[in-house]
Amino acid sequence: MQLNSISIIKIGDHIRTMSQPREKNINSSTLESDLNQPISDSWEIAMSTPHVFICLQIIIDNKPLYIGTYHMPCFYKEPNVMAIHASVMKDLMFQLTNGENFILAGDFNIKPHDTCYQALIGKDCVDFNLPQSNTYQMTYQCNTKQILKSAYLEKNGIEPKYTDFSHKKGSTRFCETLDYIFFNGDLTVEQVLELPDDPTCESYPDETHPSDHLMIAATFRLL
């Protein structure tokens, strides 16, 4: 195996390259009003996040394979921001790989029944529409023909029961699937790491789980 290249991209900065500020009339009262208002434009919030996308190109048996990873921002109260990041990150992976095989893994902070997840795998995504921006003219358009496959879904016919578990004092019990191994191209999932159906402790992390997230893994055959 040979490492051929590495790309490190801040998704917020990448989104900003696809934007053009809208012209507007500015006066002193407008400026004062804007300074006192919180950011409400989903695209502006998406641009302001520091989250970094990493993509490696490796060579295995003279065949190129791209491996990407991303930790999606956790904006449950801003679903439009989540949708923007999910869509842009997915299309960026396709752009960087240019038709080659790839694996994309990480903590995506979306659940299997969420619209963002359904849009990534191209299932029941008729309601997936990115928001309009009042601040920017956006040149980005989601490519709905570029969809991903999920390793666990392909192998088991279903995503894991959960990959994240936390039940701290004073907080609501959280036990959901947030982590995925997506892929595209001439790859076959040979096996996936078996995960438990239910947690057996009060909360992660604990003595045997160093993180609130479970480790997920998959073995692929490169065709």
Side-chain angles (χ1 to χ4, degrees):
M1 183 178 71
Q2 173 188 343
L3 175 62
N4 199 39
S5 67
I6 180 170
S7 300
I8 302 175
I9 301 171
K10 187 181 290 187
I11 293 296
D13 291 347
H14 178 65
I15 295 172
R16 195 172 295 277
T17 65
M18 299 180 286
S19 70
Q20 182 69 35
R22 295 183 185 274
E23 293 184 2
K24 62 179 181 179
N25 295 324
I26 299 177
N27 54 47
S28 58
S29 60
T30 301
L31 182 59
E32 183 178 353
S33 175
D34 288 347
L35 290 174
N36 293 327
Q37 294 296 322
I39 298 175
S40 59
D41 190 294
S42 296
W43 288 94
E44 181 67 45
I45 297 173
M47 294 177 199
S48 68
T49 62
H51 298 73
V52 173
F53 170 78
I54 299 175
C55 182
L56 309 177
Q57 187 202 49
I58 60 176
I59 305 297
I60 301 177
D61 296 333
N62 295 319
K63 297 179 181 179
L65 174 66
Y66 289 82
I67 301 176
T69 186
Y70 189 53
H71 188 170
M72 280 265 291
C74 183
F75 282 100
Y76 293 118
K77 295 182 179 180
E78 296 284 350
N80 283 335
V81 176
M82 301 284 285
I84 291 169
H85 269 258
S87 180
V88 169
M89 175 273 308
K90 181 262 296 180
D91 286 344
L92 176 60
M93 189 71 189
F94 275 95
Q95 176 186 334
L96 292 174
T97 57
N98 194 29
E100 300 288 355
N101 302 316
F102 69 76
I103 298 169
L104 174 61
D107 173 4
F108 291 88
N109 275 315
I110 54 178
K111 305 167 190 174
H113 58 267
D114 287 346
T115 302
C116 282
Y117 170 88
Q118 300 297 330
L120 290 179
I121 65 171
K123 180 181 179 182
D124 300 331
C125 58
V126 292
D127 295 329
F128 185 77
N129 293 299
L130 296 180
Q132 296 294 317
S133 173
N134 295 323
T135 310
Y136 298 93
Q137 291 180 340
M138 302 302 304
T139 60
Y140 172 74
Q141 295 290 329
C142 175
N143 190 333
T144 57
K145 294 182 179 180
Q146 295 180 157
I147 58 175
L148 304 170
K149 294 180 180 179
S150 169
Y152 276 84
L153 181 62
E154 290 292 312
K155 187 63 179 178
N156 296 338
I158 192 173
E159 294 290 0
K161 291 290 185 65
Y162 75 100
T163 64
D164 181 82
F165 173 55
S166 178
H167 192 193
K168 299 177 182 178
K169 290 183 179 180
S171 63
T172 304
R173 183 180 189 271
F174 186 86
C175 188
E176 297 282 357
T177 296
L178 301 177
D179 307 88
Y180 306 93
I181 301 173
F182 295 116
F183 68 99
N184 183 73
D186 295 327
L187 294 163
T188 298
V189 184
E190 294 202 324
Q191 62 182 11
V192 292
L193 181 66
E194 185 176 353
L195 301 180
D197 288 335
D198 296 290
T200 57
C201 63
E202 292 185 0
S203 179
Y204 297 160
D206 63 4
E207 293 81 1
T208 57
H209 300 89
S211 169
D212 58 320
H213 291 260
L214 294 174
M215 183 178 73
I216 60 174
T219 301
F220 291 89
R221 178 180 294 276
L222 181 58
L223 303 178

